[in-house]
Amino acid sequence: MKPSAEFVEHGISQENLKRVSRTTMLKLAYQSLGVIYGDLSISPLYVYKTTFSGKLSLQENDEEIFGVLSFIFWTITLIALFKYIFIVLLADDNGEGGNFALYSLLCRHAGLSILPNQQDAEKNLSSYLTEESAETWKSSALKSFFKKHPRFRKGLFIFVLLGTCMAIGDGVLTPAISVLSAVSGIKLKIAELHENYVIITSCIILVGLFSLQHHGTHRVAFMFAPVVISWLLCLTGIGVYNIFRWNSHVYRALSPIYMLKFLTSTRVEGWLSLGGVVLSITGVEAMFANLGHFSPLSIKMAFTFLVYPSLVLAYMGEAAYLSKHHEDIQRSFYKAIPEAVFWPVFIVATFAAVVGSQAVISATFSIISQCCALNCFPHVRIIHTSSKIYGQIYIPEVNWLLMCLSLAVTIGLRDTNMMGHAYGLAVTTVMFVTTCLMALVMIIVWKQKIISAVSFLLLFGSLELLYIPACMFKVPEGAWIALVMSYVFMAVMYVWHYGTMKKHQFEVENKVSMNRIVSLGPSLGMVRVPGIGLVYSNLVTGIPAVFGHFVTNLPAFHQVLVFVCIKSVQVPYVSEKEQLLIGRVGPKECGMYQCFLRYGYKDLQQENYNFENRLVSRLVQFVETEEESASKARADCCAEFGNSDAETFDFSVHSITLPDQEGDSVKSAHDIQVMTSGIRHVESFVLKDESLHILRAKESGVTYVLGHSYAKAKKSSSIFKKFVIDAVYAFLSKNCREPNILMNVPPTSLLEVGMVYYV
């Protein structure tokens, strides 16, 4: 329900509606400060320090300091303000943001999806529907290009995976660099403190941070926004203080001329140092990725009126201080804090670092959940941490993996400069992926002129490409961490996706026809036992090979048999009333049905809310609707034709359209043959009998039949494919969560059927 409709229904006038909307918007803007802007607001801790590392540290004078300030200001203004606030936030997918949202829009509008089991019926989902707009020759040309060249579709998918893996790398690097940068400030007051104690303190905070994740964000969310607001006010106050005390003319450095002077005087060393400048916009991607939890207007309000001016004043104040204290370049932030407020600011900075890390960790959980939904990551256990806020989740395996990697980075590098180089590479890569996807969305989805998309790509893409090579040159100085982590995550994702697709291809090629199952009955002595059997399959049509393997070795199955296909749909969410889609398999007297369980890429694929009763209710509703339609068809036919000469008519009742891409189509309803001389008796069941038959079977018990399949490479496969399937994919399969655990299947109702798939 739209907000306006909801308030009007409760009798609220339009004037009060405006007041409520403003109040709600301010509340959302307040909440967004704690969830979204924690990472972005702690950047001043390490930006100047990382930028003036290496050879550039020998050239810190006013020209270089003002040049870096100019780069920071225009980077925040162009990328954070103009790109994300004014443009990217408009490209939402049913209110959701992030790279997966952009990719989802492209998949629906240009047919780029490489997920299996896609159906035409999915286009009728409420979240799938899009506004009709006139096709342009640019969008038509791009769609045709991707359809004719499947390799480019796969290339785009890999490109999205690259950005996703870099974003996961942020979940490792952000806690490490944020906490270590905050804790390092204590050495200014306790100079004799050994570095090992700083590392140990940082590790203790990191362990505590990750240990609290299982409680959920909502448990501590009430303190997030006040911490970030306090931190931003500290930045503003310190910045204004330093500007007026040390250099009131620092505002002149905002001119782009200082950027040219900086590059002219420092040349290659200055260009390489830009990898530190890009740290000033770490966290801007969170504004888009967390769009689903807030409204675009609330995010824009918080950034424009508080975050943006606070950050600009903070960087200006630090530059003003450095213009008079060149020797403090490696500890400029804490040195610029007035003595009287040092310890309060230090405490707030530490809390802000923890809050910023929390936001990135939560975003990583969401990314992994989306990857699992798209068959790009091994199955993991996903836990809801809030009964009120749907999107707040916790993944134990991922949490401890992130903790171990963050501790390894902190202990291994022990230097925020090296972490900053890796962090900068990860951030710029994610932003460049977003820029490229946005250019495609502008042409294919928004139907904009090609000049608009090209201008967007050239303006922001060229700026990001200016930073990416600068970060790449820092590979020997720590940036290799981001590359190694992203490539490892990407290899895991691609191998899992490749193995899953190969298994699905095997199932499609070896599916069993309904005629064969029926014909095998007399020869095998097929027996129907009481109860309902739920056979889980990845196919939308046909009988899975694992079921044929089952009845061949044990010629018996349940009175009511339901083939359940769990599908991922290229939309963020599927409403509960649209999740289940029921059809019939084979003749009516066989008592076999097809159930499609549809999820969006942000839905949790876990059935822990009375799935059995929901399914039985929908089955009964299906057969009743089917019989009512059949009765109406028979009555209309009799009224129209009476008892004329014999002639046969076919009626398709309550049909469900399925794609033809996988061969045999499933008959979702029986054909009713009506003779003009009278209506012939049809079926062995009547409406009441079939409904009672299903309910009695439910009382006898429900059995879950799951295939426990093992993928093996064919003997003729290459050595590389054998290594990928028999070693890597097999290892991931053995160490991921079992399907019965993910679906909360009772052990007493589980029946596993083992089978080897040769792919």
Side-chain angles (χ1 to χ4, degrees):
M1 181 182 294
K2 295 182 179 180
S4 57
E6 181 181 355
F7 289 122
V8 170
E9 182 178 339
H10 288 80
I12 299 178
S13 65
Q14 290 295 325
E15 293 182 2
N16 290 332
L17 174 60
K18 292 180 180 179
R19 295 195 192 110
V20 171
S21 299
R22 290 169 185 168
T23 303
T24 304
M25 202 61 61
L26 290 174
K27 182 179 179 181
L28 289 174
Y30 169 79
Q31 294 174 343
S32 69
L33 290 169
V35 177
I36 296 178
Y37 296 110
D39 187 15
L40 182 62
S41 64
I42 59 177
S43 299
L45 287 172
Y46 43 75
V47 169
Y48 279 104
K49 182 177 182 294
T50 306
T51 304
F52 284 98
S53 61
K55 295 181 180 180
L56 193 64
S57 61
L58 303 176
Q59 305 183 34
E60 61 259 11
N61 53 46
D62 288 355
E63 290 290 334
E64 281 70 41
I65 292 171
F66 292 159
V68 169
L69 173 60
S70 184
F71 265 107
I72 292 173
F73 171 76
W74 287 107
T75 299
I76 296 176
T77 301
L78 290 176
I79 294 182
L81 186 63
F82 286 100
K83 175 188 170 182
Y84 279 91
I85 293 296
F86 292 154
I87 301 177
V88 175
L89 287 183
L90 300 176
D92 66 291
D93 180 15
N94 292 283
E96 295 296 327
N99 284 341
F100 271 109
L102 297 178
Y103 182 67
S104 174
L105 286 173
L106 293 173
C107 287
R108 296 209 303 273
H109 287 80
L112 303 181
S113 177
I114 60 175
L115 290 176
N117 297 342
Q118 300 302 294
Q119 297 175 274
D120 291 337
E122 294 162 5
K123 297 180 180 180
N124 296 325
L125 293 172
S126 57
S127 55
Y128 196 101
L129 298 176
T130 56
E131 295 182 1
E132 296 294 334
S133 56
E135 196 75 33
T136 63
W137 69 268
K138 285 89 64 178
S139 59
S140 299
L142 272 177
K143 291 179 183 179
S144 301
F145 175 79
F146 281 113
K147 289 180 180 179
K148 293 179 181 178
H149 301 86
R151 291 184 177 180
F152 285 92
R153 288 206 304 269
K154 184 178 292 186
L156 181 64
F157 176 72
I158 295 175
F159 187 61
V160 174
L161 282 187
L162 174 62
T164 302
C165 293
M166 285 293 186
I168 296 175
D170 286 349
V172 175
L173 294 169
T174 298
I177 189 173
S178 301
V179 173
L180 183 58
S181 297
V183 175
S184 297
I186 199 173
K187 292 187 68 176
L188 292 179
K189 294 300 180 182
I190 311 177
E192 64 276 9
L193 186 67
H194 196 276
E195 184 183 2
N196 289 341
Y197 292 103
V198 176
I199 300 298
I200 292 173
T201 304
S202 300
C203 291
I204 293 174
I205 294 176
L206 287 173
V207 171
L209 172 64
F210 284 100
S211 298
L212 293 174
Q213 293 301 313
H214 70 279
H215 292 294
T217 304
H218 69 288
R219 301 276 179 143
V220 290
F222 69 93
M223 63 176 293
F224 280 10
V227 168
V228 176
I229 291 175
S230 300
W231 174 242
L232 290 173
L233 293 178
C234 287
L235 291 178
T236 304
I238 295 172
V240 172
Y241 168 81
N242 286 319
I243 289 173
F244 284 100
R245 177 170 182 181
W246 302 111
N247 192 340
S248 60
H249 300 291
V250 71
Y251 66 90
R252 297 175 181 174
L254 302 182
S255 171
I257 297 176
Y258 281 87
M259 290 192 292
L260 298 177
K261 291 181 178 180
F262 174 79
L263 294 176
T264 303
S265 61
T266 58
R267 299 183 182 276
V268 177
E269 289 78 11
W271 173 62
L272 295 178
S273 70
L274 296 181
V277 172
V278 79
L279 296 180
S280 62
I281 52 174
T282 56
V284 295
E285 187 71 28
M287 293 190 294
F288 185 43
N290 289 282
L291 186 61
H293 298 284
F294 307 96
S295 66
L297 183 56
S298 64
I299 295 175
K300 293 177 181 179
M301 288 173 58
F303 181 82
T304 306
F305 295 110
L306 181 58
V307 179
Y308 178 73
S310 297
L311 291 177
V312 171
L313 289 173
Y315 288 117
M316 289 177 63
E318 195 168 348
Y321 175 84
L322 286 175
S323 65
K324 305 299 181 181
H325 303 83
H326 296 168
E327 69 281 359
D328 292 334
I329 196 72
Q330 288 299 307
R331 45 187 180 173
S332 59
F333 179 81
Y334 283 109
K335 276 287 189 178
I337 299 175
E339 186 71 22
V341 296
F342 177 85
W343 287 110
V345 172
F346 173 79
I347 295 173
V348 174
T350 304
F351 277 108
V354 173
V355 170
S357 302
Q358 172 66 49
V360 176
I361 294 170
S362 301
T364 304
F365 291 157
S366 298
I367 291 174
I368 296 295
S369 175
Q370 296 170 26
C371 291
C372 292
L374 297 177
N375 294 323
C376 297
F377 199 83
H379 301 302
V380 291
R381 184 186 179 196
I382 301 175
I383 302 173
H384 284 281
T385 59
S386 174
S387 58
K388 297 180 180 179
I389 304 176
Y390 179 80
Q392 293 185 1
I393 60 176
Y394 168 67
I395 305 178
E397 297 93 337
V398 175
N399 180 66
W400 302 124
L401 176 62
L402 292 178
M403 186 191 75
C404 293
L405 291 176
S406 293
L407 291 175
V409 169
T410 303
I411 298 172
L413 295 183
R414 308 169 69 92
D415 184 8
T416 56
N417 289 336
M418 299 181 70
M419 295 180 190
H421 299 325
Y423 197 14
L425 180 59
V427 169
T428 51
T429 303
V430 174
M431 290 190 298
F432 182 69
V433 171
T434 301
T435 300
C436 295
L437 293 177
M438 270 299 304
L440 292 176
V441 168
M442 293 176 73
I443 297 176
I444 296 177
V445 181
W446 292 355
K447 306 295 191 299
Q448 295 289 319
K449 296 180 179 179
I450 195 169
I451 187 64
S452 301
V454 172
S455 300
F456 177 86
L457 184 62
L458 289 179
L459 175 60
F460 300 109
S462 59
L463 183 59
E464 290 154 0
L465 286 177
L466 177 67
Y467 291 135
I468 291 178
C471 296
M472 291 295 293
F473 274 96
K474 296 292 184 178
V475 167
E477 301 176 27
W480 60 271
I481 294 290
L483 290 178
V484 170
M485 285 194 300
S486 62
Y487 288 154
V488 169
F489 285 129
M490 195 169 179
V492 170
M493 288 185 178
Y494 189 78
V495 168
W496 183 262
H497 180 77
Y498 176 79
T500 304
M501 293 302 102
K502 285 296 182 181
K503 285 179 63 175
H504 177 263
Q505 183 180 350
F506 178 89
E507 292 180 346
V508 172
E509 294 173 352
N510 294 273
K511 61 184 178 182
V512 183
S513 66
M514 186 64 205
N515 293 333
R516 183 184 176 190
I517 294 294
V518 174
S519 63
L520 286 176
S523 61
L524 294 177
M526 199 77 71
V527 178
R528 301 298 290 268
V529 297
I532 297 178
L534 303 182
V535 182
Y536 282 81
S537 165
N538 292 322
L539 300 178
V540 296
T541 60
I543 308 298
V546 68
F547 181 73
H549 182 66
F550 169 69
V551 297
T552 302
N553 292 275
L554 184 64
F557 54 90
H558 298 81
Q559 290 176 335
V560 176
L561 200 65
V562 183
F563 295 98
V564 181
C565 177
I566 301 178
K567 302 173 70 277
S568 291
V569 188
Q570 211 73 50
V571 295
Y573 301 104
V574 177
S575 63
E576 185 175 338
K577 65 180 181 180
E578 295 179 313
Q579 280 185 344
L580 287 178
L581 192 64
I582 305 295
R584 190 183 293 279
V585 179
K588 188 172 184 178
E589 51 271 8
C590 289
M592 302 170 70
Y593 308 90
Q594 179 86 57
C595 170
F596 301 110
L597 192 56
R598 304 179 293 187
Y599 290 98
Y601 58 82
K602 284 209 168 185
D603 281 323
L604 298 187
Q605 298 187 14
Q606 295 182 357
E607 285 302 324
N608 54 2
Y609 52 98
N610 210 9
F611 172 63
E612 296 177 5
N613 291 334
R614 286 181 62 211
L615 177 60
V616 171
S617 176
R618 291 298 297 272
L619 282 175
V620 172
Q621 181 183 358
F622 170 77
V623 298
E624 290 178 354
T625 304
E626 185 184 53
E627 187 63 26
E628 289 175 2
S629 301
S631 300
K632 183 179 179 180
R634 290 194 295 265
D636 292 344
C637 182
C638 290
E640 182 174 353
F641 295 99
N643 292 324
S644 346
D645 296 333
E647 189 175 357
T648 303
F649 296 89
D650 293 336
F651 294 87
S652 179
V653 183
H654 200 65
S655 60
I656 300 175
T657 305
L658 297 174
D660 297 330
Q661 60 188 15
E662 291 187 2
D664 302 329
S665 59
V666 177
K667 300 282 187 181
S668 61
H670 61 281
D671 290 336
I672 304 173
Q673 295 183 341
V674 182
M675 307 298 295
T676 54
S677 58
I679 302 178
R680 182 169 56 88
H681 179 67
V682 192
E683 321 296 354
S684 59
F685 298 116
V686 295
L687 169 62
K688 183 178 180 180
D689 290 338
E690 187 172 7
S691 300
L692 289 175
H693 183 68
I694 295 174
L695 295 175
R696 286 171 182 169
K698 170 66 169 62
E699 293 178 357
S700 300
V702 178
T703 302
Y704 295 78
V705 182
L706 272 69
H708 198 83
S709 57
Y710 301 90
K712 287 190 176 182
K714 299 177 182 177
K715 294 183 178 180
S716 58
S717 302
S718 63
I719 297 178
F720 179 75
K721 183 177 179 180
K722 289 181 179 178
F723 172 75
V724 169
I725 297 297
D726 297 342
V728 182
Y729 184 76
F731 174 80
L732 295 175
S733 300
K734 290 179 182 178
N735 290 277
C736 71
R737 293 279 179 172
E738 296 290 339
N740 58 310
I741 298 177
L742 294 174
M743 294 181 289
N744 296 315
V745 177
T748 55
S749 303
L750 176 64
L751 180 61
E752 289 188 313
V753 181
M755 190 172 182
V756 178
Y757 290 178
Y758 290 95
V759 299

